Amino acid sequence: MSGESLYPRLEPLLAQVQKPIQYVGGELNAQVKAWDDVAVHWALMYPDAYEVGLPNQGLMILYEVLNERPDALAERTYAVWPDLAALMREAGVGQFTVDAHRAVRDFDVLGVSFATELGYTNLLEALDLAGVPLHATDRDESHPVVVAGGHAAFNPEPIADFVDCAVLGDGEQAVGDITDVVAAWKQQGRPGGREELLARLARVDGVYVPRFYAVSYGPDGAIAAVTRTRADVPARVGKRTVMDLDEWPYPKTPLVPLAESVHERMSVEIFRGCTRGCRFCQAGMITRPVRERTITGIGSMVDQGLRATGYEEVGLLSLSSADHSEIGQVAKELADRYEGTNTGLSLPSTRVDAFNVTLANELSRNGRRSGLTFAPEGGSERIRRVINKTVSKEDLVATVTTAYANGWQQVKLYFMCGLPTETDEDVLEIAELAVEVIRAGREASGRKDIRCTVSIGGFVPKPHTPFQWAAQASAETIDHRLRVLRQAINADRRIGRSIGLRYHDGKPGVIEGLLSRGDRRVGRVIERVWREGGRFDGWSEHFSFERWTAAAGAELAPFGVDLDWFTTRERTQDEVLPWDHLDSGLDKEWLWDDWQDALSEEEVADCRWTPCYDCGVCPTNGTEIQIGPTGRSLLPLTVVGR
């Protein structure tokens, strides 16, 4: 019977695996609806472990939006660890949801949210465990429609063989439209089978169906053209953009995990989008324009979320939260409201030029004083001009010193390695900066026990950014620069012992680069890696660079391309990029001009506060920047009891 629980068969297996609690469901605010009471059934997957996937805001939002509909239900599924996966195959138990432990194969739609491309092998594992054919062309109307979403969906070509659709942009409204299409098709008796359903979905704004687009290649290995195979689907697919965030105050009742997760807090998205113009940042580019939630909207969400969860920390989330036009007022009035309740506020990271002690004190007034995180991104002022994240060394040292002088003992600085035009000298300036920060901080605070942690990530060029044409640094280059940086930091042990250095080697970034800028030919590499045991590639203990390079060598050679062709090769202006038929709203010519500005070390201002510089997003999407001040407040200021 469709929709029946697999739990009676699953339960005996859980005693044999690590962390069985992640599979049992029943979290606070989880929902289980009657299967037969609704027309459309969604399984929502975050393709990583439960502890990473459960706090994901995007999935949590769609879970609530869908379950509020009387004609739909949504349940969650996460990547299964290899120990349980082996037992499930032996026992014939399929991929299941954690809410009602129903078989994923029974659902109408499997929506998969990709925050990183390294989750692709976990998608294949889930499909195989579910008994769903890996290749979209092998599925019929009895199988769920596999829909990709998230930032990685802006170039779904490497997984085009495995997904039926991809949703570009914001999902809140798109999942409703998809539900309407599926419900109508089912009610009409499934006319035309799966092909007709996909054709109808392809006509939904923001939905891309790869099977209706043919890709041809030139003799040089590059794409010659991408052409639609049906006249009734769009030549280019544009993204969806939710404009009034106050109309979408989700999640209203956030999920509270049963097991430890990566974020132990309740989070509220205070605005969406970013126009700072950091050239490396795909998230900032593809989520334009800026749309702020009002101070009253934020206050209402914080109030309802705390009541629903019992958390004592609220994360005020966005790509650059301190840039909210009323962030000072938001922080002060929330701190006033929760005075005496041990409810702390936090920002994920703070821009150097947006930090002030008053804001930081308000954030920590009622809760614990955690460390501060700043993201200069580039080691030298020159490289910061290249990436359009200009902050002077003097400003950075002064800001961090102010934090130390006002009682903070721990500061984290985040940088990238392998940025376009970068040299060893640019990276070595990270060490100089960290040393100066410690020296100035000791002098300002009068303490020796202050700490500075330097966290380094390898740069990966991403689609829909000015750096989409850039050559990626090789793993050897990244590892060399990290090695000389570590030596420089440790040169003076009196200072070096106060500086922590965290980094990953360059190899996973190379594979992420292959997957982020790959085309449909890369799908063969993903499938081969999965068949040879690739799982959880975002986890260092499971990632195998050798497995990926061997698979890439074997599968790409017949096409006359290789791993370096997709990663360390710089693209030309006239090359057809795999995602050119997917429209993020950004004008490709503007992106190219900004790439040239990067090479000339020229900066671009934030268009929130300056005249428009014609990136293309607002006219293309019929949208506009939405920022305050609104003139509203959270008064009356009353302590909210919980």
Side-chain angles (χ1 to χ4, degrees):
M1 171 182 158
S2 184
E4 69 177 322
S5 174
L6 298 178
Y7 198 71
R9 295 163 57 201
L10 174 67
E11 186 179 23
L13 309 181
L14 298 184
Q16 305 174 56
V17 302
Q18 291 185 327
K19 297 185 180 178
I21 196 170
Q22 64 187 311
Y23 306 115
V24 301
E27 300 95 343
L28 182 63
N29 300 323
Q31 300 184 53
V32 175
K33 298 173 72 172
W35 185 268
D36 294 330
D37 288 353
V38 304
V40 180
H41 311 90
W42 280 77
L44 296 174
M45 181 179 189
Y46 191 87
D48 207 327
Y50 173 95
E51 63 200 77
V52 179
L54 186 133
N56 180 260
Q57 284 287 101
L59 204 72
M60 220 182 286
I61 289 169
L62 300 184
Y63 179 74
E64 277 197 25
V65 168
L66 286 164
N67 278 320
E68 282 188 357
R69 290 181 60 125
D71 62 344
L73 65 75
E75 298 186 13
R76 297 161 293 125
T77 186
Y78 304 102
V80 174
W81 282 111
D83 57 353
L84 181 58
L87 294 172
M88 288 167 61
R89 286 191 169 92
E90 290 176 12
V93 175
Q95 180 82 20
F96 57 89
T97 60
V98 298
D99 296 288
H101 301 96
R102 290 160 171 155
V104 165
R105 193 187 191 283
D106 290 347
F107 286 77
D108 298 303
V109 186
L110 171 60
V112 189
S113 180
F114 290 102
T116 170
E117 297 85 357
L118 291 173
Y120 289 163
T121 50
N122 282 353
L123 167 65
L124 300 196
E125 175 75 343
L127 291 173
D128 186 63
L129 281 171
V132 175
L134 288 188
H135 298 104
T137 54
D138 295 332
R139 298 174 197 145
D140 58 34
E141 54 265 34
S142 72
H143 298 116
V145 175
V146 180
V147 182
H151 291 176
F154 275 83
N155 177 27
E157 293 300 277
I159 52 172
D161 290 343
F162 315 120
V163 301
D164 296 294
C165 313
V167 173
L168 275 62
D170 298 334
E172 289 95 333
Q173 294 162 326
V175 295
D177 292 345
I178 292 170
T179 301
D180 291 340
V181 169
V182 173
W185 176 76
K186 290 178 69 177
Q187 192 274 330
Q188 294 162 9
R190 305 172 188 257
R194 192 179 188 87
E195 186 82 359
E196 172 61 20
L197 173 59
L198 293 175
R200 294 184 185 189
L201 289 172
R203 294 191 286 272
V204 173
D205 288 346
V207 176
Y208 168 58
V209 180
R211 74 165 65 191
F212 298 140
Y213 299 80
V215 182
S216 58
Y217 303 91
D220 61 351
I223 293 173
V226 177
T227 54
R228 54 184 170 170
T229 59
R230 297 177 59 120
D232 58 349
V233 301
R236 297 188 78 210
V237 179
K239 71 174 182 178
R240 296 293 288 265
T241 303
V242 170
M243 286 308 297
D244 189 346
L245 291 187
D246 278 357
E247 292 183 358
W248 298 89
Y250 298 90
K252 299 173 182 176
T253 54
L255 294 162
V256 180
L258 294 176
E260 184 179 357
S261 65
V262 292
H263 298 303
E264 298 289 338
R265 64 177 180 231
M266 191 271 288
S267 298
V268 171
E269 181 186 32
I270 63 173
F271 72 86
R272 191 173 294 179
C274 183
T275 48
R276 285 280 189 168
C278 299
R279 293 173 173 131
F280 58 84
C281 183
Q282 183 190 47
M285 293 290 172
I286 64 177
T287 59
R288 294 180 177 202
V290 171
R291 291 145 285 154
E292 288 188 353
R293 207 179 294 278
T294 63
I295 187 171
T296 48
I298 294 167
S300 176
M301 289 185 68
V302 171
D303 179 28
Q304 184 167 351
L306 288 175
R307 290 177 184 273
T309 62
Y311 278 124
E312 292 187 340
E313 181 181 349
V314 180
L316 303 177
L317 302 187
S318 76
L319 293 174
S320 184
S321 295
D323 282 342
H324 191 287
S325 62
E326 297 178 303
I327 188 62
Q329 184 183 353
V330 168
K332 180 183 185 305
E333 294 188 6
L334 285 175
D336 287 345
R337 174 175 282 186
Y338 297 100
E339 186 87 55
T341 65
N342 296 320
T343 301
L345 306 172
S346 65
L347 301 183
S349 68
T350 309
R351 289 186 63 96
V352 170
D353 52 357
F355 173 82
N356 62 71
V357 171
T358 301
L359 172 62
N361 282 332
E362 295 292 2
L363 291 169
S364 60
R365 193 203 308 174
N366 298 319
R368 61 185 176 87
R369 175 172 284 196
S370 56
L372 293 170
T373 300
F374 299 98
E377 308 288 1
S380 68
E381 289 185 30
R382 186 196 73 80
I383 206 71
R384 290 195 289 274
R385 288 194 298 272
V386 170
I387 65 177
N388 204 46
K389 191 150 188 176
T390 308
V391 58
S392 70
K393 179 178 179 180
E394 290 73 25
D395 285 345
L396 178 60
V397 172
T399 297
V400 176
T401 300
T402 300
Y404 286 135
N406 282 272
W408 273 268
Q409 294 175 252
Q410 173 73 31
V411 169
K412 181 178 180 180
L413 302 177
Y414 182 81
F415 298 90
M416 285 186 292
C417 181
L419 290 160
T421 77
E422 181 186 270
T423 65
D424 287 7
E425 287 68 33
D426 292 311
V427 175
L428 285 171
E429 285 201 38
I430 297 173
E432 295 176 21
L433 193 56
V435 167
E436 193 161 336
V437 159
I438 292 295
R439 283 179 175 153
R442 286 178 176 177
E443 183 177 342
S445 67
R447 306 176 59 129
K448 295 285 189 182
D449 60 347
I450 61 171
R451 294 275 302 167
C452 173
T453 299
V454 173
S455 182
I456 312 281
F459 169 66
V460 177
K462 294 286 185 176
H464 306 282
T465 72
F467 288 167
Q468 63 185 2
W469 291 277
Q472 183 174 353
S474 67
E476 292 77 15
T477 298
I478 297 288
D479 292 346
H480 160 73
R481 288 179 182 159
L482 291 173
R483 191 162 51 248
V484 298
L485 174 62
R486 185 173 61 246
Q487 292 169 352
I489 287 175
N490 292 332
D492 184 346
R493 291 304 301 160
R494 292 170 300 174
I495 298 287
R497 65 173 178 264
S498 296
I499 303 171
L501 180 61
R502 296 179 182 173
Y503 60 88
H504 297 286
D505 66 51
K507 293 176 180 177
V510 171
I511 303 308
E512 186 182 342
L514 168 71
L515 300 177
S516 68
R517 291 195 291 175
D519 54 42
R520 295 187 182 183
R521 295 170 290 188
V522 173
R524 296 167 179 260
V525 181
I526 298 168
E527 184 173 345
R528 182 166 183 146
V529 167
W530 170 76
R531 291 192 183 281
E532 294 179 357
R535 313 282 190 277
F536 289 95
D537 287 293
W539 296 67
S540 57
E541 61 265 40
H542 294 279
F543 175 79
S544 169
F545 187 63
E546 293 70 27
R547 182 160 51 212
W548 277 99
T549 53
E555 296 295 337
L556 297 177
F559 299 104
V561 294
D562 58 15
L563 180 61
D564 288 341
W565 192 89
F566 283 104
T567 55
T568 59
R569 177 181 67 92
E570 184 171 328
R571 278 69 166 162
T572 60
Q573 181 178 7
D574 59 354
E575 180 170 335
V576 177
L577 303 174
W579 51 90
D580 277 350
H581 58 299
L582 305 176
D583 188 2
S584 63
L586 293 158
D587 181 74
K588 188 178 180 182
E589 186 176 340
W590 178 84
L591 286 171
W592 176 264
D593 289 344
D594 204 39
W595 168 228
Q596 301 309 299
D597 285 345
L599 297 176
S600 302
E601 301 173 22
E602 295 180 27
E603 300 145 10
V604 176
D606 185 341
C607 65
R608 265 173 293 195
W609 323 116
T610 61
C612 171
Y613 48 81
D614 297 324
C615 74
V617 167
C618 291
T620 299
N621 292 290
T623 58
E624 60 184 8
I625 290 173
Q626 294 181 346
I627 58 173
T630 62
R632 305 180 193 177
S633 74
L634 296 183
L635 296 171
L637 296 177
T638 56
V639 175
V640 178
R642 290 189 284 120

